[in-house]
Amino acid sequence: MASFFSSLMISLGLLVLVLGSGNATLSTNFYYSSCPKLLDTVKCTVESAISKETRMGASLLRLFFHDCFVNGCDGSILLDDTSKFAGEKNAKPNRNSARGFEVIDQIKSAVEAVCPGVVSCADVLAIAAKDSVEILGGPTWNVKLGRRDARTASLSAANNGIPPPTSNLNQLISRFSALGLSTKDLVALSWAHTIGQARCTTFRSRIYNETNIDTSFALNTRQPKCPKASGSGDNNLAPLDLKTPTSFDNHYFNNLVDKKGLLHSDQQLFNGGSTDSIVRGYTTEPASFYSDFVTAMIKMGDISPLTGSQGEVRKNCRSVN
Ligand code: HEM
Ligand SMILES: *[C@@H]1O[C@H](CO)[C@@H](O)[C@H](O)[C@H]1NC(C)=O
């Protein structure tokens, strides 16, 4: 009997180890004694960057998403190209699009000044994303920390891992599910498109060719600044949330119900499919998407981090030590 129980306990212990190994050491107090000023230092720099340019909050949040979806949240997106590898900055979803790298450099320098060699770039990015959401009027949460930085980056993993705006609902669901994120997480995280801007090239075919779009929105609001001919005005910007592109509010979900989602992928979340009911629920219950967004951001931040002695703590976020 005793040996039965002890082997049961050992099996349970092993199970816990196996299930928990992905993020065993991420914790909200990881730098509590090694860098007590960390959170204040990051927030100060993010605040000043956003006060110079409101859009920067959106850009920092997106960088974190594009980091986590490519081999986990390991700061790989921050690495410049080298002779040994092609980095992620020139992958299709990032080229001429991902921005905020200079702000990450500024935050990292400020952090290095108070705690040299202690805090990873992956964690700096996670904190900057959380601060951006909070500063722009969204919810806040205790961000889990203890990630380490990758020593390499992958252009092809970025091209294959980050969903394109041409995705249909099933493709979005499967990209997210491959990383352990549910359909509800997909819808909740898409709320990020309540802030920020998109280039004409990412929504041209939607505003000229799609039928599940409000006619006046397509014709009068978006087409005048996004010419039909590919190549002209490709980089002209439009807000992802047409009403309030600098604040976290529920206009994003209302837009979808009104067929005014800007990206093809946005409107897929409300197009007669399985996510319609989630979107509709969010239009009436802001409190629920606040908490679902936080849950999903924490889950996204848990995607296969390097921990313990894996990877390194980069000195400069753009290059390996
Ligand atoms: C569901 C799949 C998603 C697709 C297909 C997608 C696609 C896009 C595209 C095409 C843009 C415009 C880029 C440009 O024109 O340069 C964009 C912008 C943005 N995305 Fe997403 N996105 C997705 C999910 C997310 C998630 C999960 C987040 C964060 C949690 C996010 C945050 C943002 C932000 C904040 C911007 C604006 C960035 C800025 O103004 O600099 N997106 N997204
Ligand atoms: C609209 O669809 C047609 C037919 O597929 C295509 O040839 C055309 O380039 C599309 N127009 C835009 C603006 O995407």
Side-chain angles (χ1 to χ4, degrees), residues 203-210 227-230:
F203 59 82
R204 178 181 281 123
S205 63
R206 167 151 175 77
I207 61 172
Y208 285 101
N209 266 348
E210 296 189 356
K228 189 171 192 169
S230 145

Side-chain angles (χ1 to χ4, degrees), residues 181 184-186 188-189 291-301:
L181 298 170
K184 189 166 141 186
D185 295 328
L186 160 68
L189 284 171
S291 65
D292 289 352
F293 180 77
V294 167
T295 301
M297 282 294 291
I298 294 170
K299 268 171 90 171
M300 185 167 83

Side-chain angles (χ1 to χ4, degrees), residues 2 4-5 24 41 72 80 93 96 110 112 136 141 156 173 177 194 199 201 217 234 249 260 276:
F4 169 74
F5 273 115
T41 306
D80 288 340
N96 297 324
E112 287 296 297
L136 296 179
W141 62 95
S156 61
I173 290 174
S177 129
T194 186
R199 291 162 305 143
T201 179
F217 171 63
D234 280 5
D249 53 31
K260 293 176 183 172
D276 281 21

Side-chain angles (χ1 to χ4, degrees), residues 158-171:
N159 278 325
N160 297 325
I162 301 167
T166 49
S167 308
N168 65 31
L169 182 59
N170 284 336
Q171 291 166 329

